């Protein structure tokens, strides 16, 4: 039976992917855990409830593999692309991946365009793109003509080091003890917001490839002092007249979107118990546009589930 390979499985994304795969695989398949990182190779973890060893990547590691999931930073994955067999599907989960790394796909939005691309390399794009695509896709019939958004990303976007640094900062502030260095954020993030290097990523380009009917989308990414869950504040103007009620109806027609039960108090923390994009208040403004507020779990719906679903659609 063909195998599944996960490259750099020790990352937060890799851990989430392993858990999600266990719940979705229709039959038992061999899962190979591989890494080019000398510190990660040889570490002990688990797959399907059993102990598993992360193996050092070797030239024949992809033999008889049907699907390869690339986690971790894209620079560590690019040298391995050419080693994937032509009969296998490669899915790149690196949040810093670009359109040059493969076809960006968001499940339920542009899945049909790649359903026949067996053996191709697909990109599960940055979670911000996944979140925005699920909000914007149902609104296409209303003909958006202008939009701009601010995304607040959590500490988990920086992996385990980002979570640990935020935890230590919070502990030190609450306990009123001396501060430790901040190698991940470079400054205090706890109880704070900071600029982030993710602003340099081609998020707008990725979004337009996923939802090509959308106008160019200026996006700002902010690093939030929260552990999990991504949020977006989005302003959209439409070509025709519409109402908040009509917009809510369009959004609820998507199986990936859910309107929040308490929209006035919706926050990133609420996304932790849902595999959907949660949309809060939709507010018209005097300029003729609408403000949208939405949240999503960046590790589940934003990365792991999206990667698995686009692989399934492509026959992986």
């Amino acid at each position: 039976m063909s195998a599944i390979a996960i490259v750099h499985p020790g990352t937060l994304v890799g851990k989430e992917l392993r858990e999600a795969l266990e719940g979705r695989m229709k039959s038992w398949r061999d899962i190979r855990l591989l890494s080019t990182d000398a510190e990660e190779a040889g570490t002990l973890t688990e797959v399907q409830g059993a102990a598993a060893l992360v193996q050092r990547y070797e030239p024949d590691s992809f033999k008889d593999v049907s699907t390869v999931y690339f986690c971790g930073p894209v620079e560590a994955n690019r040298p391995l692309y050419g080693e994937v067999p032509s009969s296998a599907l490669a899915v790149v989960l690196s949040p810093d991946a670009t359109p040059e790394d493969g076809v960006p796909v968001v499940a339920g939005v542009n899945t049909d365009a790649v359903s026949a691309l067996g053996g191709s390399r697909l990109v599960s794009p940055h979670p911000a793109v996944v979140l925005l695509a699920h909000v914007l896709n149902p609104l296409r019939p209303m003909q958006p003509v202008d939009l701009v958004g601010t995304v607040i990303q959590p500490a988990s976007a920086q992996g385990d080091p980002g979570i640990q640094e935020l935890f230590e900062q919070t502990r030190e502030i609450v306990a009123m003890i001396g501060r430790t260095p901040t190698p991940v954020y470079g400054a205090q993030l706890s109880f704070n917001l900071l600029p982030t290097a993710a602003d340099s990523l081609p998020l707008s380009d990725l979004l337009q490839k996923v939802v090509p009917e959308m106008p160019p989308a200026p996006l700002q990414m902010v690093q939030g002092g929260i552990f999990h869950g991504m949020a977006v504040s989005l302003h959209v103007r439409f070509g025709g007249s519409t109402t908040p009620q009509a917009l809510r109806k369009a959004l609820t027609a998507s199986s990936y979107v859910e309107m929040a039960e308490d929209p006035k108090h919706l926050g990133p923390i609420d996304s932790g118990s849902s595999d959907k994009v949660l949309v809060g208040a939709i507010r018209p403004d005097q300029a003729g546009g609408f403000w949208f507020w939405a949240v999503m779990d960046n590790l589940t719906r934003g990365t792991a589930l999206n990667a698995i679903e686009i692989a399934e659609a492509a026959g992986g």
Side-chain angles (χ1 to χ4, degrees), residues 253-279:
S254 169
S255 60
Y256 293 85
V257 177
E258 185 176 291
M259 302 305 294
E261 294 182 2
D262 186 5
K264 292 183 179 180
H265 299 99
L266 177 67
I269 193 172
D270 298 301
S271 66
S273 60
S274 176
D275 63 358
K276 297 182 182 294
V277 171
L278 303 180
V279 178

Side-chain angles (χ1 to χ4, degrees), residues 241-316:
S241 61
T242 187
T243 64
Q245 292 76 15
L247 296 171
R248 291 190 190 95
K249 183 177 180 180
L251 287 165
T252 54
S254 169
S255 60
Y256 293 85
V257 177
E258 185 176 291
M259 302 305 294
E261 294 182 2
D262 186 5
K264 292 183 179 180
H265 299 99
L266 177 67
I269 193 172
D270 298 301
S271 66
S273 60
S274 176
D275 63 358
K276 297 182 182 294
V277 171
L278 303 180
V279 178
I282 301 174
R283 177 174 58 83
D285 65 12
Q286 295 181 344
F290 293 83
W291 284 102
F292 295 80
W293 174 253
V295 301
M296 178 195 71
D297 189 304
N298 54 300
L299 294 176
T300 54
R301 170 49 55 199
T303 306
L305 289 178
N306 188 68
I308 294 170
E309 288 172 9
I310 65 178
E312 291 172 345

Side-chain angles (χ1 to χ4, degrees), residues 31 46 60 75 80 123 128 171-172 185 267 299:
I31 298 181
E46 67 174 47
D60 62 346
E75 286 298 332
L80 307 185
V123 170
R171 183 182 66 84
E172 290 165 357
Y185 303 113
L299 294 176

Side-chain angles (χ1 to χ4, degrees), residues 57-63 68 70 77-86 88 121:
Y57 173 81
E58 301 291 347
D60 62 346
S61 293
F62 293 150
K63 183 180 179 181
V68 181
F70 287 100
N77 293 323
R78 283 172 176 158
L80 307 185
Y81 291 165
E83 303 301 320
V84 178
S86 59
R121 190 165 62 246

Side-chain angles (χ1 to χ4, degrees), residues 48-79:
Q48 296 172 320
L53 190 69
V54 179
Q55 302 174 356
R56 182 184 298 276
Y57 173 81
E58 301 291 347
D60 62 346
S61 293
F62 293 150
K63 183 180 179 181
D64 298 324
V65 166
S66 62
T67 306
V68 181
Y69 291 98
F70 287 100
C71 305
V74 73
E75 286 298 332
N77 293 323
R78 283 172 176 158

